[in-house]
Amino acid sequence: MAWLVVRLAISLSLLYTASAVFEDQVGKFDWREQFIGKVRFALFDTHSQASKKLLVATDKNVFASLNSRTGDLFWRHVDKTGPEGHIDALLMYGQDAVVVVGNGRLLRSWETTVGGLKWEAVLDTGSFQAAALIGVQDFVKYVAVLKKSAISLHDLSSGSQIWVENLPDSDTVQYQTIYSGGNGLVFVLGFVPSSHIVIVEYKIEDGEIMKKKSVEAAWMSSLENSCAVISSGNLLCVDQTTQSLYTLPLQSAEHTEMRQIHLQTLDLEVASGFQPVLTSTQPNPAQPPLAEFFLQLSPDHHILLQLKDDLIAPLRDFNPSYLAAFATSGEKTVAAVMTSKNDTACSINLFSADTGRRHLDTTIIYHMDPNGGKPNRLYVHAFLKKDDSVGYRVMVQTEDLTLTFLQQPGRVVWMREEALADVVTMEMVDLPLTGTQAELEGEFGKKADGLLPMVLKRLSSQFILLQAWMAHLWKLFYDARKPRSSVKNEVTIDTLSRDEFNLQKMMVMVTASGKLFGIDSKSGTVLWKQYLEDIKPDSIFKLIVQRTTAHFPHPPQCTLLIKDKDTGLGSLYVFNPIFGKKSHISVPALPRPVLQTLLLPVIDQDYAKVLLLIDDQYKVTAFPSTKNVLQQLQDTASSVFFYLVDSSQGKLSGFRLRMDLSTELIWEVVIPTEVQKIVAVKGKRANEHVHSQGRVMGDRSVLYKYLNPNLLAVITESTDIHQERSFVGIFLIDGVTGRIVHEAVQRKARGPVHFVHSENWLVYVYWNSKFRRNEFSVLELFEGAELYNSTVFSSLDRPHPPQVLQQSYIFPAPISTLEATLTEKGITSRHLLVGLPSGSILSLPKMFLDPRRPELISEQSREENLIPYAPEMPIRTEWFINYNQTVSRVRGIYTAPSGLESTCLVVVYGLDIYQTRVFPSKQFDVLKDDYDYVLISSVLFGLFFATMISKRLAEVKLLNRAWR
Amino acid sequence: METRVRSRACACVALLLFALRASLGHEHIKVQEEEETPEDVKWRSPEEEQGKFRTPEGEVRVQVSGRALVPGVRTQDWISNARVLLDGDAYVGFIREDGGFSVSDVPSGSYVLEISSPTYRFQPVRVDITATGKMRARVVDYIRTSAVTRLPYPLQMRCAGPHHYFIPRETWIWSDFLMNPMVLMMVLPLLIVVLLPKVMNSSDPEMKREMEQSMNMLNSNQDLPDVSEIVTRFFSPPKSHGRAGGGARATVGGAASVRGGAPRRRSKMNTAVTYSE
């Protein structure tokens, strides 16, 4: 009875404390990095001199404010993904920022200091063209939004709509730009391709059309980049085919034709095949733009021009120049131009906009990352110094989405790696041993060569250890004398070494932009980065660890398979995951689309696992393909099986490898595509360990698990999406024989299905469309009370079908992603990690997802520690492993075992990256952080002294008694 | 300190709200099939007609709006990292500086609206929108999904307290140690052993003598055989009986056997003690 109480107490304590976070553990072993994505709009707050705000809107539908001194986020608003949350325009005036969202559907005004929403206005539907702030008499009061067929004007302080007007002839004319010079009029510019330009003039007060004129422009193909309004209402356009500039005063009635200025008269020429770009600047929306503008003639040639008295005069020619941008501070407008200095560095200089003269001592040197991409955007923050000269800082965005903020003379103030906002896949690699550790390891690796050399070697290695220990002591002593702040454990690539519990690992992350990162899992420091150029967008990546760090002196080796989404053609990139260096191993050419990859446990003489790549003709390419490997493959070919999925035809097929590396079809399962389509196929993780083969029941018998390593879980969804007829199908198929081990159908259910397949169980989540809720379902497979063959599992010899138990539960929240914890030996109980859309990561004990949970409690179920069945799954905020450090848009959770059996390393990635450790069964193999050394030692000392004292007292008493 | 006060206030308000809801709720809790609701005239048609429109395919899109409140906290302090989520992040809205929010372009259907904030907890609300664009709000019940407990629309979201992410550390406190049943079990006999003789000492000398006598008797019984031994002797075969007597515990066992009838004598003695008391 007593032990039952104890067990109950243990299970209860497990229930209520498992994987909770203690408040003093915050930030101890976890970290979060927040990202924003590729910057599309960036505006510096020039409202006041001391302002540090930098407003950015990105392609990830994120609107954020950054601290321009540190690069940290002040606040960030993450909108819906997809076109509905797409940010079309960002305008800023004073403390307010106006954002147009969702193809002109919403207009939002944000207060930029704390990031509160001031107002929100819903606009009529219609494709968005342009938005502009409109000023009247030096005050900006309105914001105008141009749609394909309408223009609307809104009050800037309240968001209320002042007027909305349909645009004349909007079915033929493409309206693209708005312009207002602060004189009470709004100009809408549109054009009919290869015909004419249309200029419509609206009165600000009531939206009345004042004037409408059309001007001949047969050469016109687009207004957006090749036209600009400069200097009190002059429309300026550039055309590549006629090599000319065209000007037209917008307001004057007599001009009915655009004035043509040949570029030749200015000694200029547009590079062939390049669409020239005009850039003008309007520092104050209530004032006309400046007369100066940039004309980009080729990718690396800009020229600053000025329009004066109807004449265009070049102010300064920048050849070569990569990027150019205007910036205004107070009354002064400057232009920053980036030119190439040498192969590895660029220099940025400041020029005064009205004269083109160079400001002295304004050079910023920008050192390009040799492993990065080229700079492609330049944002300038100009400010007035105390002596009234103009100072500036720049933010450079590169092709690989690195944001670098620089100040004079080239100091990098901060840097953000925004490619990490879109991590596609990742792996964790053990860190290498230190030199001394490696030396010791090497001793055991080598062949024995006599007794004496062995003894000497042992002595020398012991001496090395002693030396290392002395050095460590000396360092401790040396550090202790220094003030604490200066002692910083900077992680660099050279000091990397494995810790004693292997808790610190290298996170290799692959991002959608084609940039690879190596991140230290303990601190989140980016240790190396490598930008792979010419990777097409939407490529499919697969990262494979071929050789771990365990095979010293062979370096670890990772292989990245990059597959083009449309053609399926792949290429391999082989690198060292610790240092990020590309390996010089010859990589097989892949002329045909790759369908499947297979990492075999077969290793070559350099301890690299063999990777098999199967192409669309079912031919197999081995990598590495040395003679040794081919020999081994021939020996093991008969036991190498793989499967292919063709979801368009609903076909799953199993193949076997032949001796000559061709393949033969063994089985085929067709799931008719008219009824259902295959959405996902998953096997088990290869590095997963199962500790116990069975479960001990209440009556002391054992229920053996059905542990089939070749089992595939196939999830299908019905093509019929009606809520009464839709269903989700689950097939468990043996990957070797093609035998369908189990089949289940969840009626009135639809996807998206998230699932975890591990050990002898499959957990999946679906949407119950009848009751409109998410439901968890768990399938567990058991062999029964006896094992058929307890020594080895063979798919070919397993005559009895497994017993399948299933139970479903209600999950009272939506789900973004699902993963299970993983530990070294599989002794620790498992938890499911559930990513919620709110950004929290819930650690749900697998104990709750046990199909043997009884409805009625019996003595036996109590003995087995089964929780009574309850339909609703609990969600407790104490189970959120990331407490208030929410991770936006969770896309994946990666779990890796550490050297401690109790500890599982977790990386959550999405828009943000969060790394932590979880202890599903608490920390049973190390002393807890709150272990009370003081108490235990005081008790020990207390007992010691108590015995001393009582001994003395007893002696005295004995003596007294003897005297009596 | 301030946050603690704030949270308590928050919790109090939440409790009050619950009490209110419980008291009012009885009148209009009615269980009905969801499908039959379109003719329910009490459904609120959205007065904000500006937010409602029909797509070219004729499907209705409405704006779901409401107001969120964290009592005792200025809105600016919490809205910058809060979002309004409908069915996960299928539809997203933001909270205005006055606490109001609206989620635009929501097609007809049934949604769970929640306010996600890393600091404050809000009860989710189910929002039903008919094909004509009428909507209502009700309490989320995942088990009885057709149960309708109406909530006001436009939505009134009130904070139900802050999130509790952390569990307190088990700290070592003296009172915990002392109130431990094991310790209590040890303390009581200790008290008896220490205090009882002192209480007895103060009584009359006759009593004292009697006590001493009984104590001596008790002491003399030190060499009583323990119960386990008696039991083993009882159950063991007669052959080993003698051996047990002259075995390892020869002295103790021998003494007991010499006196004999130990159990009976012991019981007698017990009675003696009780009488004396």
Side-chain angles (χ1 to χ4, degrees), chain A residues 16-17 20-26 75-80 105-106 108 110-111 114-120 122 125 723 767 770-774 810-814 837-838 840 871-872 877-878 880 883-884 886 889 922 928-930 932 935, chain B residues 34-35 50-51 53 61 63 76 79-83 85 87-98 100-105 109-112 114 116 118-119 121 126 128 138 141-146 163-170 172:
Chain A
Y16 291 110
T17 59
V21 185
F22 296 109
E23 198 156 3
D24 53 286
Q25 285 181 328
V26 165
W75 47 261
R76 181 182 72 170
H77 290 292
V78 182
D79 209 337
K80 195 181 160 180
R105 180 71 181 138
L106 288 167
R108 287 191 182 125
W110 297 92
E111 203 282 321
V114 295
L117 181 62
K118 284 185 79 168
W119 50 260
E120 186 179 55
V122 183
T125 49
Q723 69 167 49
W767 173 259
K770 189 184 177 200
F771 294 111
R772 299 193 191 100
R773 64 192 180 200
N774 276 302
I810 301 165
F811 189 72
S838 61
S840 306
E872 198 168 340
T877 46
E878 287 91 339
F880 289 168
Y883 46 105
N884 66 357
T886 53
R889 296 203 192 122
K922 302 220 279 181
K928 280 183 218 142
D929 335 333
D930 65 335
D932 208 336
L935 181 76
Chain B
E34 276 167 68
E35 279 69 32
Q50 47 135 348
F53 87 106
R61 292 288 153 93
Q63 188 177 48
Q76 297 99 294
I79 55 169
S80 62
N81 45 18
R83 292 199 296 169
L85 303 176
D87 271 8
D89 47 6
Y91 301 93
V92 176
F94 297 98
I95 300 163
R96 287 193 298 273
E97 284 181 328
D98 60 353
F101 61 83
S102 55
V103 185
S104 310
D105 293 351
S110 178
Y111 304 91
V112 173
E114 58 183 328
S116 105
T119 327
R121 188 161 49 90
R126 187 175 279 282
D128 301 327
R138 57 191 172 107
D141 190 338
Y142 283 109
I143 295 176
R144 294 180 305 137
T145 48
S146 54
H163 283 301
H164 296 286
Y165 293 114
F166 305 110
I167 53 167
R169 283 266 190 210
E170 287 169 28
W172 199 84

Side-chain angles (χ1 to χ4, degrees), chain A residues 120 167 171 173 183 185 318 459 484 507 540 563 716 858 866 896 937:
Chain A
E120 186 179 55
L167 295 164
D171 44 348
V173 183
N183 51 2
L185 292 171
F318 301 103
L459 283 177
R484 178 153 290 197
M507 293 158 53
I540 299 159
K563 216 160 90 172
T716 63
S858 65
L866 293 175
S937 44

Side-chain angles (χ1 to χ4, degrees), chain A residues 190-225:
Chain A
F191 73 103
V192 178
S194 314
S195 169
H196 60 275
I197 295 182
V198 179
I199 300 159
V200 190
E201 207 175 306
Y202 287 93
K203 209 166 133 189
I204 285 183
E205 285 78 28
D206 52 4
E208 187 191 337
I209 295 182
M210 304 297 286
K211 226 182 283 172
K212 175 177 178 286
K213 67 178 177 183
S214 55
V215 180
E216 208 63 33
W219 40 268
M220 180 67 90
S221 60
S222 165
L223 265 173
E224 244 171 318
N225 282 326

Side-chain angles (χ1 to χ4, degrees), chain A residues 784-904:
Chain A
E786 273 174 40
L787 270 183
Y788 176 72
N789 180 352
S790 59
T791 48
V792 68
F793 188 95
S794 167
S795 287
L796 301 170
D797 179 30
R798 205 45 54 157
H800 310 298
Q803 300 170 7
V804 182
L805 301 176
Q806 183 164 19
Q807 220 168 48
S808 297
Y809 316 88
I810 301 165
F811 189 72
I815 282 176
S816 300
T817 183
L818 193 67
E819 189 51 76
T821 59
L822 192 68
T823 51
E824 184 81 19
K825 297 267 178 276
I827 300 168
T828 310
S829 60
R830 308 288 296 268
H831 275 207
L832 288 172
L833 300 172
V834 188
L836 306 177
S838 61
S840 306
I841 312 298
L842 177 76
S843 176
L844 191 68
K846 170 71 179 52
M847 209 195 247
F848 280 98
L849 292 154
D850 185 345
R852 302 189 59 255
R853 280 175 71 175
E855 275 183 58
L856 292 170
I857 314 161
S858 65
E859 194 64 32
Q860 286 198 3
S861 72
R862 199 178 290 149
E863 199 146 312
E864 272 186 77
N865 277 334
L866 293 175
I867 310 160
Y869 180 79
E872 198 168 340
M873 200 71 87
I875 296 183
R876 297 166 56 91
T877 46
E878 287 91 339
W879 292 348
F880 289 168
I881 57 170
N882 56 343
Y883 46 105
N884 66 357
Q885 305 286 297
T886 53
V887 185
S888 287
R889 296 203 192 122
V890 182
R891 180 202 276 238
I893 299 176
Y894 180 88
T895 51
S898 73
L900 282 177
E901 170 57 31
S902 67
T903 311
C904 169

Side-chain angles (χ1 to χ4, degrees), chain A residues 473-721:
Chain A
L473 282 186
W474 173 246
K475 194 173 175 292
L476 273 184
F477 174 70
Y478 194 72
D479 283 352
R481 294 191 310 172
K482 280 196 271 185
R484 178 153 290 197
S485 57
S486 67
V487 184
K488 227 179 182 179
N489 285 325
E490 277 289 306
V491 189
T492 58
I493 210 149
D494 307 311
T495 59
L496 273 185
S497 67
R498 201 181 299 178
D499 59 330
E500 51 193 331
F501 295 133
N502 200 4
L503 291 166
Q504 188 178 4
K505 293 197 180 194
M506 177 68 85
M507 293 158 53
V508 181
M509 296 193 129
V510 182
T511 63
S513 61
K515 197 170 185 184
L516 310 181
F517 289 89
I519 299 175
D520 168 40
S521 78
K522 197 177 178 187
S523 60
T525 327
V526 174
L527 294 173
W528 58 264
K529 48 203 170 187
Q530 179 70 48
Y531 179 56
L532 308 180
E533 276 166 50
D534 48 76
I535 283 190
K536 288 188 186 141
D538 293 336
S539 292
I540 299 159
F541 297 93
K542 186 159 188 187
L543 185 62
I544 302 130
V545 182
Q546 277 195 295
R547 183 165 55 219
T548 61
T549 23
H551 305 285
F552 187 82
H554 298 286
Q557 181 182 323
C558 273
T559 302
L560 181 69
L561 172 71
I562 306 150
K563 216 160 90 172
D564 191 278
K565 200 185 178 190
D566 301 322
T567 60
L569 288 174
S571 60
L572 292 176
Y573 177 80
V574 185
F575 62 100
N576 178 334
I578 303 298
F579 300 106
K581 299 256 166 36
K582 187 177 178 179
S583 303
H584 300 288
I585 296 173
S586 62
V587 169
L590 303 169
R592 304 217 50 95
V594 178
L595 295 184
Q596 176 74 289
T597 56
L598 201 62
L599 190 67
L600 294 186
V602 176
I603 51 172
D604 72 347
Q605 69 271 34
D606 292 340
Y607 304 100
K609 282 186 185 164
V610 175
L611 181 69
L612 295 187
L613 301 146
I614 295 105
D615 65 20
D616 64 344
Q617 289 178 334
Y618 313 119
K619 286 274 182 331
V620 173
T621 314
F623 171 69
S625 56
T626 55
K627 211 174 232 175
N628 179 333
V629 169
L630 293 178
Q631 182 59 44
Q632 288 190 60
L633 275 180
Q634 279 191 6
D635 298 343
T636 53
S638 59
S639 61
V640 175
F641 297 84
F642 62 92
Y643 68 94
L644 295 177
V645 187
D646 186 353
S647 63
S648 62
Q649 293 179 23
K651 205 163 72 179
L652 265 152
S653 33
F655 292 83
R656 168 196 238 163
L657 197 65
R658 283 212 198 118
M659 304 277 264
D660 56 345
L661 292 191
S662 61
T663 54
E664 61 180 318
L665 182 73
I666 294 195
W667 55 268
E668 205 167 48
V669 173
V670 179
I671 293 165
T673 47
E674 305 87 66
V675 186
Q676 52 191 332
K677 57 177 190 294
I678 301 171
V679 288
V681 179
K682 237 193 244 180
K684 291 174 189 172
R685 286 179 68 162
N687 57 346
E688 167 184 292
H689 291 272
V690 181
H691 183 256
S692 55
Q693 284 217 316
R695 286 186 58 165
V696 182
M697 317 289 287
D699 58 0
R700 297 287 180 274
S701 64
V702 176
L703 189 61
Y704 285 100
K705 295 172 182 172
Y706 178 77
L707 296 168
N708 183 348
N710 310 317
L711 200 64
L712 301 174
V714 182
I715 304 288
T716 63
E717 279 176 33
S718 62
T719 46
D720 191 350
I721 52 165

Side-chain angles (χ1 to χ4, degrees), chain A residues 235-297:
Chain A
L235 178 67
L236 185 73
C237 293
V238 63
D239 178 48
Q240 191 236 331
T241 47
T242 56
Q243 296 274 338
S244 311
L245 284 167
Y246 296 88
T247 62
L248 176 78
L250 288 175
Q251 260 168 303
S252 67
E254 62 264 30
H255 288 82
T256 52
E257 211 168 79
M258 293 190 89
R259 197 160 59 89
Q260 186 177 14
I261 303 161
H262 281 282
L263 284 171
Q264 274 173 342
T265 60
L266 300 166
D267 282 341
L268 299 173
E269 197 185 349
V270 177
S272 62
F274 182 76
Q275 179 68 38
V277 177
L278 277 174
T279 316
S280 67
T281 179
Q282 187 175 9
N284 185 347
Q287 306 253 316
L290 297 185
E292 292 79 24
F293 59 94
F294 272 114
L295 174 62
Q296 189 181 6
L297 296 166

